[in-house]
Amino acid sequence: MPNQIVVAGAVIVGPAVLIAQRRRPPELAGRWELPGGKVMPGETEPAALARELAEELGLDAAAMTVGERLGADVVLDSGLTLRAYRVSLARGEPRPHDHQALRWVTAVDLFDVDWVPADRAWLAELARAL
């Protein structure tokens, strides 16, 4: 089975990053993650991330700038490779369309969050970015 790339966005505004609380699957429900989703065939990773954030958070894709990669790839058993990118937001207020809740956290609170296991790999780089 070919490897599926999943992109996650570290939406940073000032000293805080936006995190999203998962609704599903049951084993991850209630835990927090960087929002994002799968890259579709023919789509670049930055374009996929802008599309996913627009869909999941109700933001205007034109109001986002997908920047540099954040941390290393995280490879999961299920054939998924997760990649995180820094994202800047020019305007708009994120809304939880696909998540239970959204929350802004600072570097001080990052390590106290109940993260999905895969996203924990990026915490050190995320703390430095904030």
Side-chain angles (χ1 to χ4, degrees), residues 1-5 78-81:
M1 178 176 181
N3 195 35
Q4 171 71 58
I5 302 296
S78 56
L80 299 176
T81 297

Side-chain angles (χ1 to χ4, degrees), residues 18 29 39-40 45 49 54 64 70 85 87 98 108:
L18 182 71
V39 177
M40 303 309 274
E45 291 175 16
L49 184 54
M64 292 177 265
L70 179 81
Y85 287 85
V87 178
D98 199 42
V108 173

Side-chain angles (χ1 to χ4, degrees), residues 6-78:
V6 177
V7 287
V11 180
I12 298 172
V13 175
V17 64
L18 182 71
I19 62 173
Q21 191 176 36
R22 291 192 63 114
R23 288 186 197 270
R24 60 192 177 285
E27 63 272 15
L28 297 177
R31 297 180 113 181
W32 296 86
E33 68 179 357
L34 297 177
K38 293 179 179 173
V39 177
M40 303 309 274
E43 201 173 31
T44 66
E45 291 175 16
L49 184 54
R51 176 187 51 76
E52 286 285 349
L53 294 178
E55 291 172 5
E56 291 185 4
L57 305 175
L59 296 169
D60 177 3
M64 292 177 265
T65 302
V66 177
E68 299 174 2
R69 288 273 310 272
L70 179 81
D73 286 358
V74 177
V75 179
L76 302 180
D77 297 359
S78 56

